[in-house]
Amino acid sequence: MQAVAIAIPAIYRSTVGKKAVMAVTGGILVLFLVAHMVGNLKIFLGAGDFNHYAEWLRTAGEPAVPHRTVLTLTEVVLTLAVLLHIWSATSLALRARAARPVKYESRKKSHARGYATHTMRYGGVIIALFIIWHLLDLTFYAVNPLGSSATPYDRVIADFAPDRWYITVWYVVAVLLVGLHLWHGAWSAFNSLGWRTKRNDGFLRGLAAVLAVVIAGGFVAVPIAVTFGWVG
Amino acid sequence: MKLTLRIWRQTNASDKGRMVEYKLDDISPDASFLEMLDVLNEQLIAADEEPVAFDHDCREGICGMCSLVINGTPHGPERNTTTCQLHMRKFKDGEVIDVEPWRARAFPVIKDLVVDRSPLDDMIQSGGYISAPTGTAPEAHSVPVPKPDADRAFEAAECIGCGACVAACPNGSAALFLGAKVTALGLMPQGQPERWDRVVSMLDTHDDAGFGGCTLTGECTVACPKGIPLDVISRLNSDYLKATAGGKKK
């Protein structure tokens, strides 16, 4: 154990270690996204189910633990995961910029056909900005048309009302970027942890693709359905 | 063939450098890329100008000396081919061809198209070896190696250390080179005693040299003249994490 404790700071400093941190924190965030998406889809079961679920998030674990314990712990873990993920990405991006001070004159051609790969850095920044907006919208209600007095269901319906179509567009674009991020990221994470082999590569690419499509599809469904009046 | 070349000219490490245009007539389509540069240099020398400096040695595609980023692609347009084995018939008559050196902070330009690739040697010195007694070579069959391991190790050992992976990588990472060495040695019984020290020392040397980190863009394996597969990087990550977080390195 002592060896592990001593090795940790060195791992963080190395390029391989930073990617391992990104893989682990990314994995935590993917698990969260799946749970978040399943929760969102309860809106199709009606206002009662949706609001009850929102209430349960706050009362889960009671009375064994105080009100909002599980939710607060989740928030702490997610915040740490997001910060470590961004820190690793930024650190590697700065390193990459420093690693090639003189650029090529000829336009650098990409041969690896990785569209999603090239969206990782700027896509990640847009996703981070989206998370800030999303928290201001449906966690702190600062940019929500209704306030804290409304029910969670009504806030979502008001948020994606047809005359606020631009909010729906913003959510859909951000979620599609999350999908692209996962298309590369979920596959790359296995490589970063050293679990990818020639034999399982096809399976891992498929797994990442399914995750990307299911998660993006599941999240896009709610704002689209509200804007087109299929719910609410 | 008529060609217009735009070649990076840089007098020395402190010179800023610039692209210079040269026109060539009557180049044989059967000439190799380096032979075409030889023709250019003969003309430059005849005109009392400084010839273009470029690295080359065996011209058989096995030594790893030739380099050159040709039209934005390391070793030019043909897959799994070094610059010396690339022929002018792969280009169009009248084409404008950009020729640049490898670009990386760890590979400073010495002159024109020649860069200093000694950080790759530094990585080898820090762990890319096995300890073996000198003297008569032992009987090869005395240490059995599973056939799949031998095949994978051989595939990774094809790396000629040219540095095209670094030149192609958007992050300027040498992870493919490192992965090839760690895989080739780590799969062999003879490579086991130093396996965990090797991966940590070699990665430390890599990071200290100013190479970037791998983000699995896959550009390296496409540019590699020997087609080293991308999964050697996964093995590098696996061995590094086992050696450090897993406590295997003593």
Side-chain angles (χ1 to χ4, degrees):
Chain A
M1 276 319 284
Q2 199 194 356
V4 176
I6 292 169
I8 291 295
I11 300 175
Y12 274 24
R13 277 197 300 276
S14 78
T15 49
V16 169
K18 282 177 180 142
K19 282 294 278 181
V21 170
M22 275 178 94
V24 171
T25 53
I28 294 170
L29 295 172
V30 166
L31 292 178
F32 162 73
L33 282 182
V34 171
H36 185 356
M37 184 197 75
V38 170
N40 284 4
L41 294 177
K42 291 193 192 301
I43 203 158
F44 293 105
L45 300 177
D49 274 53
F50 191 75
N51 291 335
H52 180 239
Y53 166 71
E55 182 57 27
W56 171 80
L57 286 178
R58 284 148 187 85
T59 59
E62 280 185 45
V65 290
H67 185 68
R68 221 182 178 287
T69 303
V70 172
L71 190 59
T72 307
L73 282 178
T74 311
E75 285 166 349
V76 169
V77 171
L78 288 176
T79 308
L80 281 176
V82 166
L83 290 178
L84 281 172
H85 199 78
I86 292 176
W87 167 77
S88 303
T90 309
S91 160
L92 284 166
L94 292 175
R95 211 190 148 81
R97 182 181 291 187
R100 180 162 296 131
V102 183
K103 305 279 175 261
Y104 289 106
E105 295 276 327
S106 218
R107 198 170 167 275
K108 183 79 178 67
K109 290 192 190 85
S110 173
H111 298 283
R113 288 175 292 135
Y115 176 71
T117 310
H118 300 291
T119 68
M120 293 307 277
R121 283 185 182 139
Y122 77 83
V125 172
I126 297 173
I127 292 167
L129 293 174
F130 168 74
I131 291 172
I132 294 171
W133 175 272
H134 184 48
L135 289 175
L136 288 175
D137 184 2
L138 291 165
T139 301
F140 302 112
Y141 319 131
V143 295
N144 191 274
L146 305 180
S148 54
S149 54
T151 65
Y153 184 85
D154 290 338
R155 276 193 292 265
V156 171
I157 301 298
D159 211 11
F160 303 117
D163 60 330
R164 280 166 60 85
W165 58 270
Y166 47 90
I167 296 294
T168 304
V169 169
W170 167 221
Y171 269 74
V172 168
V173 167
V175 165
L176 292 180
L177 273 171
V178 171
L180 275 176
H181 209 75
L182 292 178
W183 189 282
H184 172 83
W187 166 68
S188 179
F190 289 101
N191 183 79
S192 298
L193 295 173
W195 297 341
R196 183 176 148 263
T197 62
K198 209 172 264 184
R199 196 175 289 180
N200 70 15
D201 189 49
F203 170 75
L204 294 180
R205 276 188 189 267
L207 180 71
V210 167
L211 264 179
V213 170
V214 168
I215 288 181
F219 276 113
V220 160
V222 175
I224 295 274
V226 173
T227 304
F228 285 92
W230 301 328
V231 284
Chain B
M1 291 174 79
K2 276 180 189 294
L3 294 169
T4 304
L5 296 167
R6 293 176 62 230
I7 299 181
W8 184 260
R9 299 305 307 262
Q10 184 173 340
T11 319
N12 52 45
S14 51
D15 181 22
K16 207 165 164 292
R18 70 220 65 87
M19 296 297 267
V20 177
E21 201 171 285
Y22 299 97
K23 302 254 186 223
L24 278 180
D25 291 327
D26 208 23
I27 292 292
S28 162
D30 296 327
S32 77
F33 201 86
L34 298 186
E35 284 164 346
M36 181 273 295
L37 289 179
D38 291 338
V39 172
L40 170 70
N41 277 347
E42 279 170 17
Q43 293 181 9
L44 290 176
I45 292 165
D48 220 17
E49 284 180 51
E50 187 71 14
V52 178
F54 61 91
D55 266 329
H56 62 107
D57 191 12
C58 75
R59 298 203 178 196
E60 291 179 352
I62 52 168
C63 77
M65 269 314 275
C66 63
S67 54
L68 308 185
V69 171
I70 301 163
N71 283 340
T73 303
H75 289 299
E78 199 179 9
R79 288 269 180 106
N80 297 330
T81 305
T82 54
T83 295
C84 64
Q85 296 289 297
L86 173 69
H87 290 86
M88 297 317 294
R89 53 181 169 269
K90 299 291 170 184
F91 297 88
K92 289 190 288 284
D93 190 30
E95 192 169 339
V96 179
I97 305 172
D98 286 355
V99 189
E100 296 174 79
W102 285 176
R103 292 289 186 203
R105 193 182 87 183
F107 293 162
V109 173
I110 296 169
K111 184 177 180 179
D112 297 338
L113 302 170
V114 179
V115 298
D116 180 1
R117 283 175 278 186
S118 51
L120 298 182
D121 301 332
D122 296 340
M123 273 189 263
I124 295 293
Q125 280 170 17
S126 71
Y129 52 79
I130 60 157
S131 296
T134 54
T136 317
E139 160 60 33
H141 293 299
S142 61
V143 184
V145 181
K147 177 68 171 146
D149 287 356
D151 287 346
R152 278 205 66 205
F154 192 85
E155 185 182 44
E158 280 193 69
C159 169
I160 53 176
C162 65
C165 44
V166 179
C169 178
N171 300 308
S173 171
L176 194 73
F177 170 83
L178 204 48
K181 303 304 168 193
V182 164
T183 301
L185 296 171
L187 277 166
M188 289 285 120
Q190 296 87 342
Q192 296 310 308
E194 286 121 344
R195 182 170 168 189
W196 310 111
D197 287 325
R198 172 186 304 122
V199 65
V200 175
S201 329
M202 287 184 83
L203 185 73
D204 285 348
T205 309
H206 169 276
D207 288 359
D208 289 345
F211 293 107
C214 169
T215 61
L216 206 63
T217 65
E219 298 291 343
C220 52
T221 186
V222 183
C224 177
K226 297 295 155 184
I228 302 291
L230 200 54
D231 60 84
V232 297
I233 297 176
S234 183
R235 192 178 165 90
L236 162 73
N237 295 340
S238 172
D239 270 17
Y240 180 78
L241 294 173
K242 279 180 194 159
T244 52
K248 292 243 189 198
K249 183 180 184 295
K250 295 289 179 284

